[in-house]
Amino acid sequence: MVSLAELSVGQQARVLHLARAGVENKLYNLGIREGMVIKKVTGSSNHHGPVVIKAGRTQVALGQGMASKVMVEPL
Amino acid sequence: MNILLIGNPNVGKSVLFTRLTGVRVIASNYPGTTVEFKKGFMRFFNIKAQITDSPGTYSLAAGNKAEDVAVKLIAEADLIINVIDATNLERNLHLTLELIRQADKPVIIVLNMWDETKHLGIEINPGKLSQRLGVPVVATCALTGEGIKDLVYNINAARTSPLRDSTSPLWSEIGDIVEGVQKLHHRHHTFLDILEDLSIKPPSSLFIAAGVMGVSFGVIRFIAENLITYIFNPFFTTVYNPLILRLSAVLGEGSLLHSVLIGSLSSGVIDYRRSFGLLTTGVYVPTAMVLPYIFSFYLMLSLLEDWGYLPRLAVLADRLFHRLGLHGYAIIPMILGLGCNVPGALSLRLFEERREKFIAATLLAIAVPCMAQTAMIIGLLAPAGGKYVLLVFAVLFCIFQILGRLMHRILPGPSPEILIEIPPYRCPHLLNIAGKLWLRIGGFFKEAVPLVLTGILVINLLYFLKVIDFLGNIFKPVITNLWGLPQEVIGALIIGFLRKDVAVSMLRPLNLSIRQMVVGATILSIYFPCAAAFFVLVKELGIKDMLKSMLIMLGTTTIIGFILNFTLTFLGWS
């Protein structure tokens, strides 16, 4: 289990845990839910700049801070 | 009857709204385009219904302002049209089920972007979906108009659904429905898919961004300058000028009417930029100097908007904006502000946090020049050399960066992170582009031109009443000693409250040196927003924050004016 921020670019993973409540709601609304399979499209390796993930037909960009609070299981 | 259009951002509500009511609104391919509610009317079966277009929302759970307002609108509505993006059924159904369970109003579903599902290998059975949801479902393509008739004929079939009493968790109910109703077929990567990937992954993303921006600026300038050279200037020289000269002879050069309508002549010839008559400068400036740039800017912007590139640009710009206390999506108000600060200021509603709004609004008002201003700056400085135009913009850019960082450091509070949906690339639809251009240019004529004419009238009045001299004497220490400009510049500063383009045009008759023109143009850009933008900003920020912002504006202007003047003088510019 790693955070979305630590996940490698191009890797698919299943969303396990959306930690903070506030973030959970916003991500949930956008279509990122626990149990979903997402793919990490980009996220600078030097940990600056947003992380972009794709879940089904939805593509979302989120900040590194938020990404580090989303726990996923690499597939 | 009150009908509400509700749905996720960027699903086509506004396009549908225009189709149903004939009221044109701006529709683009990025979330956050609709920031205000628009109401229109539709007649069907002898019923006159009021239709409300609303900003998109992902859910009804009270979490932010958009959702609170949605809940209020639902309470006022008699019937709800839930617009869904058929290419993203699972996500969109979340709001749908919330509506069914909580809204207690009749619902009908519009499965929009139906045409795209075929290209994407998505197969949905609208009949089955209607069965499962318990409400009518109509498939449409709002852009082409397909399915709209079906929608109108079936509106009264809207109903509340038996699902409203369901208690199973939303995500499992959605999953069930989608499985029973949607089939996904494999499809190959299209060109747009590949382009999407390249646009967001480094390093290709940087090249594409540079390319897009470079081409945009180039095309804007190219189209505008050619319009001016080949259409507008010739028109004024060969058609308009003789008419005005004839009028001038009739009115007689010294008369009051002549001064007001035609202004002053320079040795019998009309200089359209200097005469300051209503029919001369008042017509020439908006038509032959500003309009070409407004047209070409909004043409490029509409293409970029409908293509869907802007959110990707926001992702790239995110890191830069973090240093200013903002996040990448702040680029949207800034880009809109390059056209006109009013829509830029309105889009500040995208920001929920007060601190963010304040920083973005202040930077917008100070360092982002609208097209009217830009066109005039080019008109003023380009004859002396294009590099001077670039210099002014470079200074504005530096102010943007430095002031942003200062505010970020000094103002307490959190800097929220970016969290946005990135829409798929879509082929710009020519009719939508044309419609938006028509709206925006129409807006320019309706709103800007009266202000330009008012501004010119007011200038003439102020000169006549010697108010300009009086105020010039009071502010002389700052204007002349600090900024190195003649005290008559006060006239431009006063008119700049009304319209920036008229203000810049007032610099021309002063016969300024290049240094003075650069300083003058910069100061006019940063010291204060124009009246229209000012009112929107007061509404968005509130009086207290607006006053703080104004202090920053005036302080920055005084200091920058001095630094710029000092530096250029020091470098030997006269």
Side-chain angles (χ1 to χ4, degrees):
Chain A
M1 174 166 97
V2 294
S3 78
L4 201 48
E6 295 162 329
L7 187 69
S8 326
V9 174
Q11 173 104 41
Q12 288 195 312
R14 186 180 305 279
V15 177
L16 294 177
H17 196 35
L18 298 173
R20 269 172 35 198
V23 180
E24 175 178 8
N25 279 335
K26 291 184 194 162
L27 287 173
Y28 186 87
N29 289 340
L30 280 177
I32 313 297
R33 299 167 196 161
E34 291 180 4
M36 275 194 123
V37 173
I38 57 102
K39 178 175 172 185
K40 185 165 180 176
V41 176
T42 179
S44 328
S45 43
N46 56 351
H47 294 297
H48 282 130
V51 171
V52 178
I53 58 173
K54 206 163 189 178
R57 283 281 302 161
T58 310
Q59 206 170 159
V60 169
L62 60 159
Q64 286 277 340
M66 269 187 260
S68 63
K69 296 191 166 75
V70 177
M71 306 311 285
V72 303
E73 180 187 354
L75 294 172
Chain B
M1 184 193 242
N2 251 332
I3 301 181
L4 176 65
L5 292 178
I6 189 171
N8 285 179
N10 204 29
V11 296
K13 295 183 292 303
S14 295
V15 183
L16 183 62
F17 178 78
T18 301
R19 282 257 170 213
L20 293 177
T21 63
V23 175
R24 280 202 190 284
V25 286
I26 305 256
S28 304
N29 185 21
Y30 60 95
T33 309
T34 306
V35 284
E36 287 192 306
F37 302 105
K38 236 352 190 173
K39 298 191 192 247
F41 290 96
M42 178 178 86
R43 265 215 156 76
F44 63 103
F45 306 139
N46 281 324
I47 306 174
K48 187 178 183 194
Q50 179 185 267
I51 307 204
T52 306
D53 182 22
S54 64
T57 181
Y58 291 108
S59 138
L60 295 180
N64 59 42
K65 270 187 236 150
E67 290 159 2
D68 294 336
V69 183
V71 171
K72 223 194 319 174
L73 285 177
I74 290 172
E76 294 169 1
D78 300 313
L79 188 156
I80 295 180
I81 299 181
N82 177 212
V83 186
I84 286 183
D85 178 353
T87 66
N88 198 344
L89 198 58
E90 193 161 353
R91 207 272 306 290
N92 278 251
L93 282 181
H94 180 82
L95 177 63
T96 308
L97 284 185
E98 278 187 345
L99 280 171
I100 288 178
R101 291 186 183 190
Q102 297 171 28
D104 205 20
K105 298 278 164 91
V107 172
I108 177 170
I109 294 190
V110 168
L111 208 52
N112 198 26
M113 297 176 175
W114 183 249
D115 53 323
E116 284 184 34
T117 58
K118 305 192 195 110
H119 301 312
L120 295 171
I122 300 175
E123 196 189 311
I124 301 177
N125 188 328
K128 268 201 199 156
L129 182 60
S130 178
Q131 260 179 356
R132 295 296 304 271
L133 287 175
V135 293
V137 171
V138 179
T140 64
C141 171
L143 275 179
T144 61
E146 263 179 76
I148 305 284
K149 271 214 195 106
D150 285 338
L151 172 63
V152 178
Y153 285 152
N154 286 302
I155 276 193
N156 281 316
R159 57 178 183 266
T160 55
S161 158
L163 280 188
R164 69 203 256 208
D165 299 318
S166 156
T167 50
S168 48
L170 275 181
W171 58 266
S172 86
E173 188 150 14
I174 294 173
D176 255 352
I177 296 176
V178 170
E179 224 172 303
V181 150
Q182 176 176 266
K183 247 193 294 208
L184 295 174
H185 303 287
H186 176 72
R187 63 183 254 278
H188 297 292
H189 279 332
T190 64
F191 169 66
L192 281 181
D193 284 341
I194 301 175
L195 195 59
E196 278 186 33
D197 246 11
L198 289 174
S199 303
I200 208 132
K201 290 191 187 162
S204 49
S205 54
L206 291 167
F207 288 120
I208 292 185
V212 167
M213 290 201 283
V215 168
S216 298
F217 288 132
V219 169
I220 292 173
R221 179 141 168 83
F222 179 78
I223 293 181
E225 288 299 319
N226 279 302
L227 280 175
I228 295 178
T229 313
Y230 293 112
I231 299 189
F232 289 103
N233 274 344
F235 171 77
F236 269 86
T237 322
T238 54
V239 176
Y240 198 71
N241 204 28
L243 291 173
I244 295 293
L245 281 173
R246 219 173 289 178
L247 184 64
S248 170
V250 164
L251 290 177
E253 208 174 318
S255 71
L256 178 65
L257 211 53
H258 187 279
S259 283
V260 169
L261 291 181
I262 299 185
S264 37
L265 305 179
S266 6
S267 36
V269 168
I270 302 181
D271 180 346
Y272 282 95
R273 303 181 186 201
R274 291 191 192 208
S275 38
F276 286 106
L278 286 182
L279 295 180
T280 52
T281 306
V283 172
Y284 185 76
V285 161
T287 314
M289 292 189 80
V290 176
L291 178 64
Y293 273 94
I294 298 261
F295 173 79
S296 66
F297 174 79
Y298 278 124
L299 180 64
M300 270 319 296
L301 182 64
S302 301
L303 280 169
L304 281 178
E305 285 178 327
D306 285 12
W307 171 29
Y309 184 67
L310 294 180
R312 289 157 173 94
L313 191 61
V315 168
L316 281 172
D318 189 56
R319 206 203 305 192
L320 296 171
F321 275 92
H322 266 291
R323 301 192 188 147
L324 314 176
L326 304 169
H327 62 71
Y329 219 54
I331 207 168
I332 303 282
M334 305 307 168
I335 291 183
L336 290 176
L338 280 175
C340 173
N341 275 9
V342 171
L346 283 173
S347 73
L348 289 174
R349 286 191 204 176
L350 292 174
F351 296 122
E352 296 274 331
E353 305 276 332
R354 182 179 163 202
R355 178 182 184 258
E356 266 191 299
K357 240 194 215 188
F358 180 81
I359 296 179
T362 308
L363 289 179
L364 175 71
I366 294 184
V368 179
C370 69
M371 256 309 127
Q373 239 176 294
T374 303
M376 294 306 291
I377 293 175
I378 294 179
L380 182 75
L381 286 171
K387 58 187 172 196
Y388 301 113
V389 177
L390 286 174
L391 177 60
V392 172
F393 285 106
V395 171
L396 290 176
F397 184 75
C398 289
I399 295 176
F400 188 88
Q401 290 290 322
I402 297 176
L403 192 58
R405 288 189 204 209
L406 272 175
M407 284 197 281
H408 178 44
R409 207 162 283 201
I410 297 177
L411 297 173
S415 296
E417 292 188 291
I418 194 171
L419 178 62
I420 56 163
E421 182 184 355
I422 301 182
Y425 276 163
R426 297 193 158 105
C427 206
H429 201 247
L430 277 175
L431 277 181
N432 195 39
I433 306 262
K436 280 201 277 193
L437 260 181
W438 180 256
L439 253 183
R440 283 161 159 162
I441 292 182
F444 170 71
F445 275 113
K446 270 187 263 179
E447 287 142 22
V449 172
L451 285 175
V452 169
L453 296 175
T454 311
I456 292 188
L457 261 180
V458 170
I459 300 173
N460 282 319
L461 195 65
L462 290 179
Y463 268 115
F464 182 70
L465 294 176
K466 307 263 189 257
V467 173
I468 306 265
D469 291 338
F470 176 68
L471 289 170
N473 278 320
I474 298 183
F475 288 100
K476 190 167 172 172
V478 175
I479 299 180
T480 311
N481 300 343
L482 276 187
W483 297 343
L485 300 169
Q487 71 182 63
E488 287 81 10
V489 162
I490 189 74
L493 286 170
I494 296 174
I495 287 306
F497 284 123
L498 211 55
R499 280 292 294 184
K500 297 276 187 161
D501 42 16
V502 181
V504 178
S505 78
M506 284 191 67
L507 294 181
R508 187 173 292 272
L510 297 177
N511 289 320
L512 304 171
S513 71
I514 294 188
R515 167 181 57 87
Q516 290 175 317
M517 282 200 285
V518 169
V519 175
T522 307
I523 285 178
L524 281 176
S525 302
I526 68 181
Y527 79 114
F528 209 73
C530 70
F534 176 73
F535 285 121
V536 177
L537 286 170
V538 167
K539 209 173 121 197
E540 292 299 314
L541 291 180
I543 301 254
K544 255 191 356 190
D545 276 357
M546 190 57 194
L547 283 171
K548 283 188 226 167
S549 194
M550 280 159 56
L551 271 174
I552 297 181
M553 288 176 213
L554 296 172
T556 309
T557 311
T558 314
I559 298 174
I560 294 291
F562 169 64
I563 295 180
L564 195 57
N565 181 36
F566 182 76
T567 315
L568 295 180
T569 313
F570 184 72
L571 291 175
W573 294 35
S574 57

